[in-house]
Amino acid sequence: MFQEAIKNYLHTHNYPQINLKAILFDMDGVLFDSMKNHAVAWQEAMKQYGMRMTREEAYLHEGRTGSGTINIISQRERGYQASEKEVKEIYQTKSDLFNSLPKAEPMPGALEVLQKMKNSGLTPMVVTGSGQLSLLDKLNHYFPEIFKQELMVTAFDVKYGKPNPEPYLMALQKAGIHANEAIVIENAPLGVHAGVAAGIFTVALNTGPLPDKALLDEGANVLFPSMQAFNEKWDTLYQEFLNNNPL
Ligand code: MG
């Protein structure tokens, strides 16, 4: 099954092989079981500004920068975009609400798979639309000595954010590698879209309430039902990448 997915990817992009060097991880819903909290915080923050946003919508917009999401909802609910000042206020309100909720736990299986990758000499990186200031501290706390700040892509680095390929292209640039030297790990349809649009082999983890189809329709190359399932199959998948490499 993996072999077929790899073949299809190589054929589509006209690459001779995947020469894996870096693994580009989305954060929310991939490394942390945080999407439920984000959905609640989004719904409540928008309500405080007189706008309606359902929890399901939070999953559909997942991956966008905060301002991207706020502007789409504002346009729909009020007929105009929020000012820069208001975007900051709303995003702050949402962040405060998020931080007031019980802390999201790391996704089961995440630390194990990260350690396996690191032990194989691969470089795990984080590519997130999140703009939390304490991001690196949080990552270092739960996944010690895995991630490097200079290799992170966050909301502060990008102009467009997902679903634009920009964040993933920026990650390739930061690592100094090509699209066929990385894979993307994503849980959100817009994140999968961004990874695929960047020309990178994209692994979808369906850790939320959306149907698998939402991720497959965006072009996910393979799909796992959870981070734990991905962790359990990682050695097999990695071996398939190596097998497809003629060098
Ligand atoms: Mg995500």
Side-chain angles (χ1 to χ4, degrees):
M1 171 196 111
F2 296 149
Q3 213 170 20
E4 199 58 32
I6 294 169
K7 262 191 206 149
N8 286 341
Y9 167 83
L10 295 176
H11 181 75
T12 303
H13 296 274
N14 206 16
Y15 288 125
Q17 79 258 356
I18 293 173
N19 183 14
L20 201 54
K21 291 179 178 168
I23 322 289
L24 315 183
F25 282 90
D26 171 51
M27 187 173 73
D28 291 299
V30 171
L31 294 176
F32 290 98
D33 192 7
S34 46
M35 275 310 296
K36 277 192 198 92
N37 288 357
H38 280 293
V40 169
W42 270 120
Q43 183 182 38
E44 183 55 33
M46 292 309 229
K47 199 169 136 195
Q48 289 187 18
Y49 288 83
M51 291 182 268
R52 186 175 170 275
M53 177 172 173
T54 64
R55 291 184 195 182
E56 286 69 28
E57 271 187 283
Y59 289 92
L60 289 170
H61 287 292
E62 186 192 349
R64 287 192 204 284
T65 58
S67 63
T69 301
I70 290 164
N71 274 322
I72 286 170
I73 304 296
S74 176
Q75 188 72 50
R76 184 192 69 203
E77 293 291 302
R78 311 187 296 188
Y80 59 87
Q81 300 219 330
S83 68
E84 210 170 306
K85 182 169 165 277
E86 201 185 14
V87 165
K88 275 197 183 127
E89 282 171 16
I90 298 173
Y91 192 66
Q92 188 60 52
T93 303
K94 185 255 163 182
S95 299
D96 292 344
L97 285 163
F98 178 79
N99 290 329
S100 74
L101 294 168
K103 271 206 170 54
E105 294 295 316
M107 204 61 96
L111 181 60
E112 289 91 326
V113 79
L114 286 166
Q115 281 167 340
K116 284 186 217 168
M117 289 166 174
K118 190 115 186 174
N119 290 342
S120 303
L122 300 166
T123 304
M125 296 170 66
V126 170
V127 182
T128 178
S130 177
Q132 297 172 59
L133 289 167
S134 57
L135 217 63
L136 191 69
D137 291 343
K138 190 170 128 184
L139 285 166
N140 283 339
H141 177 73
Y142 289 104
F143 310 111
E145 289 174 47
I146 299 283
F147 298 107
K148 291 200 179 86
Q149 177 153 32
E150 66 269 25
L151 291 180
M152 282 177 59
V153 177
T154 73
F156 301 111
D157 294 292
V158 299
K159 185 172 176 204
Y160 305 106
K162 302 168 191 176
N164 192 289
E166 178 197 27
Y168 284 114
L169 293 174
M170 195 172 281
L172 297 178
Q173 198 179 18
K174 284 195 182 200
I177 58 175
H178 297 109
N180 65 328
E181 294 176 317
I183 59 171
V184 163
I185 319 295
E186 267 287 352
N187 71 307
L190 298 183
V192 168
H193 187 100
V196 171
I200 306 169
F201 186 95
T202 300
V203 175
L205 309 185
N206 194 358
T207 62
L210 302 176
D212 287 350
K213 190 174 182 300
L215 297 160
L216 295 171
D217 282 355
E218 296 294 346
N221 297 97
V222 292
L223 183 141
F224 296 91
S226 66
M227 173 57 96
Q228 191 58 269
F230 174 62
N231 172 41
E232 282 161 18
K233 286 283 189 303
W234 168 249
D235 289 331
T236 312
L237 180 59
Y238 185 41
Q239 197 54 50
E240 292 292 348
F241 286 129
L242 295 173
N243 289 346
N244 276 271
N245 187 344
L247 297 178

